Amino acid sequence: MGPPRSKKRRPTFRRLLKTSGVKLENKLKNRQLKQQNIAKKQRKEQKKLRQAVKDAAIRTPRPLETYRKRPEEEEDEEEFLETLPTDMMEDDDLQQMTTMARQASFITRDLSSCGPVHGGKKRSSEVVRGYEKVPRKMARMEEKEVIHLLPIKDKTGVIPQSVERVVKKQKEEEEEEEEEAAAEEPQEEENGGGLESIADLTAEQREQLRVQKITQKKLLIAGLGSAIISDPVSNMKRVKELRGMLMESDPSVAVTVRKLVMVSLMEIFKDIAPTYRIRPLTPAEKAAKVKKETQQLREFEEGLVSQYKFYLEDLEQTVRDWKQRKKKRSQAVGFQSYRGLAEVAVRCLCELLLALPHFNFHNNIIVILVPLMNDPAKKVSDMCCDAFRKLFQQDKQGGASLATVRVVSGLVKSLNYNVRPEVLRTLLSLRIKEVEMKKDIEATAPKKKFMNNKEKKKNLSRMQRKWKKAEEKLEKELLEAEASESKEKKIKLHTETLNIVFLIYFRILKKAKKSVLLPAVLEGLANFAHLINLEFFDDLLNVLQNLIQSGDLTNRESLHCIQTVFTILSGQGDVLNIDPLTFYSQLYKMLRQLHAGVPNDDIIIVLRCLDAMLTRRRKQVTLQRAMAFVKRLSTLSLHVLPNASVGILAANRSTMHSFPKCDFLLDNEVQGSGFYLPELDEPEHCNAQNTALWELHTLQRHFHPVVRQFASHLCQGAPSEGAGSLGAKLSRRCPVELFGDYSVRDMTFNPPVAPPSTKKKDRFSGGATLLDPELQRQVQSVLTAAAEDAQLDFTATHTATQH
């Protein structure tokens, strides 16, 4: 068989003829058009060439630069030309050179030139721009002053304009010389004779002189500050002048002036700083032409950032000099004054940290202040810790908190966990309520389905997709215009912050179990335990259990461990099948060690633990365990402060509502076999059902009215309504709130104690009328003798009476 026959239809002969005719016509037309275009271009080029040759022949050669010569130079040049030999050049050569000079493009600069076409325009524009940059006034000459005016531009070029005027300088020079002499005299007195004059003054005169100098400096600082605040855009140079006073050289007022300048500049920057962050301009933005107002604003922002940076560097250098005990040669401040200056500098940095969290160099301030939280000087350390607590509390987005926590983590690790506990306790003020959970937790929650690109193309029309894209773009622009952070970004920042905090805590639990930081770590874990991921629960519970059983912890630390465990189990950990009986026994054992002394503050931790252990986990707790806790808490309420008694009785009320059968303890009849063992530390086996709450009868005679009210309420079975029920003020408040409301820490009694009732008593009036007349006479004589400074001899009188 032959090759397969092609299925493509072959064109007929008529079709081929028709097609070839159309093609030939198109080719012919294209060729004609192309020839016409080429001819047109050639005519234009020939016309330009003829015009260029004509201009070159007509115009006279113009040199690039012309110099006006002096008459004597012209005579010398003529003599030199006459002396040149002319026999070396022929006439033809001379004529050829003349023709070349007339037609040379490097001389004429005409259209036929090989140089750039717009070279003349560029040169003229540079000349005009140069005139714009020249100042209107020239430097002063000896007898006249030249003032440059705006130039005139015509066809020939730019014609400069200037005016000369005579200035009388003698008086001005004399005044300047007098001012310079007056300024040099005080310096000479300070350097040489000033010491002798000050040494001759008395202490009172020295103090008066110092007060006078300080007053002058205060007026100068006030004047500069008022000028800056009134018009910051125009008076930004005054900030530099004010900052220069930080280098005050007068030893008598240097410390005071520097402190005043530091505080003044701090307040000035707090007032004039904008509510946005100033970013540097890009090269394209700098090259672009803008309005005069915009340029003025840019210069103000640039100057503000520059001066603010220099001011922060001065404050940092002051603190660094104090830490390093470094004295400069030109320093007018003694070592003993370093600490005072450093404290003022730290205070200014703390104020700027809180007042300008959005402005430039905020992270630099954080880097300076975080190491000072661990400073041995208690005043400096407390100042920095308080500043960061306030920063955490007012930080709504989380950016500043994240930057601070990162620096704290680096500090703790670099110092090998040898930091003060107050550094970690500041982290308790973090405003973290929501974080991102792991994927396994998120998978259990129902998710909202979003269409991908394939589904969009399938389910949406082209117009709908275009409209949806425009909506998303508009929402993004609205968010940028409102300058509001999205909730997702906020949660992301909080999650990253909390991860770093837990990293600090877990490192200390792993490597520094016996460190002084352990109480702060346990307190922090108890505070953020509800945000810990499930994957850490098993390891964390084992670590906390080992810490409690080691016996190295104090009561407060053990209570924090128990609070952490039950906060975890009452939150995400409720899905775990764990019976923390060991922690119940440990808390039951520790209740006997609490009293009305110093550990009274631990009661608030106990109340939180009871809420998580009994009220929230009511389904996992047995009745025996609940009755044992109610009995021991009633015993504890007898020997603690009134606010602690109120909180404990409120916790008992909540337990009795959660376990209604606890009313067995209000009956004297025995409910089972065995006897109550109050000293046994196992709540499941102490037989609490065989005892009664006799402590409530004693508490009904308590001196505090609220304690009496709660005791009477519990004796009646804690009814929710009726004659024995509590009022809304007490029944709706949790035990922790009641503990704080009735606290006696400020030496106040709540409710206030009524003053004792006053009783009228009979008073004797006119006592002299009851005396015998003879006795009255003797008393009067004795008083008269005493008035006359007569010496009384009672011994002689006593002897005469015996005889």
Side-chain angles (χ1 to χ4, degrees), residues 250-381:
D250 191 352
S252 61
V253 296
V255 178
T256 306
V257 171
R258 292 186 185 186
K259 289 181 180 180
L260 293 173
V261 173
M262 286 181 189
V263 178
S264 301
L265 284 172
M266 175 196 70
E267 296 294 339
I268 288 172
F269 283 119
K270 285 168 60 177
D271 287 338
I272 68 176
T275 58
Y276 54 87
R277 185 181 182 87
I278 300 174
R279 63 172 181 84
L281 298 175
T282 60
E285 291 175 343
K286 291 181 179 179
K289 291 184 178 181
V290 294
K291 294 181 180 180
K292 184 178 181 181
E293 293 80 6
T294 306
Q295 183 64 26
Q296 192 176 12
L297 179 61
R298 286 182 177 180
E299 292 176 357
F300 163 70
E301 290 179 346
E302 184 179 358
L304 176 62
V305 172
S306 176
Q307 294 300 325
Y308 187 59
K309 177 184 176 183
F310 290 144
Y311 172 62
L312 294 179
E313 289 177 353
D314 293 338
L315 296 180
E316 183 184 7
Q317 189 62 40
T318 303
V319 178
R320 190 177 299 172
D321 291 344
W322 169 59
K323 299 296 293 182
Q324 297 177 356
R325 300 292 180 183
K326 183 174 66 175
K327 183 176 175 64
K328 300 178 182 178
R329 287 179 295 178
S330 60
Q331 187 67 272
V333 180
F335 285 116
Q336 64 276 8
S337 302
Y338 272 24
R339 179 165 182 171
L341 285 173
E343 289 177 355
V344 177
V346 171
R347 177 193 165 196
C348 294
L349 289 171
C350 292
E351 291 288 336
L352 294 173
L353 177 75
L354 298 175
L356 304 175
H358 57 276
F359 199 56
N360 300 53
F361 309 111
H362 189 258
N363 291 339
N364 302 73
I365 299 176
I366 292 174
V367 173
I368 297 172
L369 292 180
V370 167
L372 296 177
M373 296 168 66
N374 192 42
D375 195 82
K378 191 174 184 303
K379 186 175 181 181
V380 175
S381 176

Side-chain angles (χ1 to χ4, degrees), residues 97-357:
M97 291 182 64
T98 305
T99 306
M100 290 176 60
R102 289 179 178 177
Q103 297 180 356
S105 61
F106 62 92
I107 294 178
T108 59
R109 299 287 184 183
D110 56 4
L111 293 175
S112 62
S113 172
C114 60
V117 179
H118 302 289
K121 294 183 179 180
K122 184 176 180 182
R123 213 169 35 247
S124 61
S125 63
E126 290 179 355
V127 172
V128 174
R129 190 178 302 173
Y131 269 104
E132 291 178 354
K133 292 183 179 180
V134 172
R136 296 293 179 261
K137 293 184 179 181
M138 294 290 290
R140 292 188 178 183
M141 307 298 289
E142 293 183 358
E143 296 181 355
K144 61 183 178 180
E145 180 182 0
V146 179
I147 301 175
H148 279 259
L149 304 177
L150 291 175
I152 299 173
K153 186 176 180 182
D154 58 359
K155 295 181 180 180
T156 59
V158 178
I159 303 174
Q161 300 289 327
S162 61
V163 175
E164 297 180 0
R165 74 176 183 184
V166 180
V167 181
K168 297 180 180 179
K169 297 174 53 182
Q170 296 180 357
K171 295 183 179 180
E172 294 180 359
E173 291 178 355
E174 291 177 359
E175 292 177 358
E176 291 178 359
E177 291 177 358
E178 291 178 358
E179 291 178 358
E180 292 177 359
E184 291 177 357
E185 287 178 0
Q187 293 180 359
E188 294 177 356
E189 291 179 357
E190 290 180 0
N191 297 334
L195 299 175
E196 298 178 359
S197 61
I198 293 175
D200 296 339
L201 298 176
T202 61
E204 184 178 358
Q205 292 176 345
R206 292 177 186 173
E207 185 63 24
Q208 292 178 355
L209 181 61
R210 178 178 176 276
V211 171
Q212 184 178 2
K213 291 181 180 179
I214 291 176
T215 305
Q216 294 176 356
K217 296 293 182 180
K218 284 182 179 179
L219 294 175
L220 179 59
I221 294 170
L224 292 174
S226 301
I228 295 169
I229 293 175
S230 61
D231 190 3
V233 179
S234 304
N235 296 322
M236 185 50 60
K237 294 182 179 180
R238 302 288 182 90
V239 178
K240 182 178 180 181
E241 184 179 352
L242 186 59
R243 194 172 53 81
M245 296 180 68
L246 288 173
M247 296 289 105
E248 178 63 37
S249 58
D250 191 352
S252 61
V253 296
V255 178
T256 306
V257 171
R258 292 186 185 186
K259 289 181 180 180
L260 293 173
V261 173
M262 286 181 189
V263 178
S264 301
L265 284 172
M266 175 196 70
E267 296 294 339
I268 288 172
F269 283 119
K270 285 168 60 177
D271 287 338
I272 68 176
T275 58
Y276 54 87
R277 185 181 182 87
I278 300 174
R279 63 172 181 84
L281 298 175
T282 60
E285 291 175 343
K286 291 181 179 179
K289 291 184 178 181
V290 294
K291 294 181 180 180
K292 184 178 181 181
E293 293 80 6
T294 306
Q295 183 64 26
Q296 192 176 12
L297 179 61
R298 286 182 177 180
E299 292 176 357
F300 163 70
E301 290 179 346
E302 184 179 358
L304 176 62
V305 172
S306 176
Q307 294 300 325
Y308 187 59
K309 177 184 176 183
F310 290 144
Y311 172 62
L312 294 179
E313 289 177 353
D314 293 338
L315 296 180
E316 183 184 7
Q317 189 62 40
T318 303
V319 178
R320 190 177 299 172
D321 291 344
W322 169 59
K323 299 296 293 182
Q324 297 177 356
R325 300 292 180 183
K326 183 174 66 175
K327 183 176 175 64
K328 300 178 182 178
R329 287 179 295 178
S330 60
Q331 187 67 272
V333 180
F335 285 116
Q336 64 276 8
S337 302
Y338 272 24
R339 179 165 182 171
L341 285 173
E343 289 177 355
V344 177
V346 171
R347 177 193 165 196
C348 294
L349 289 171
C350 292
E351 291 288 336
L352 294 173
L353 177 75
L354 298 175
L356 304 175

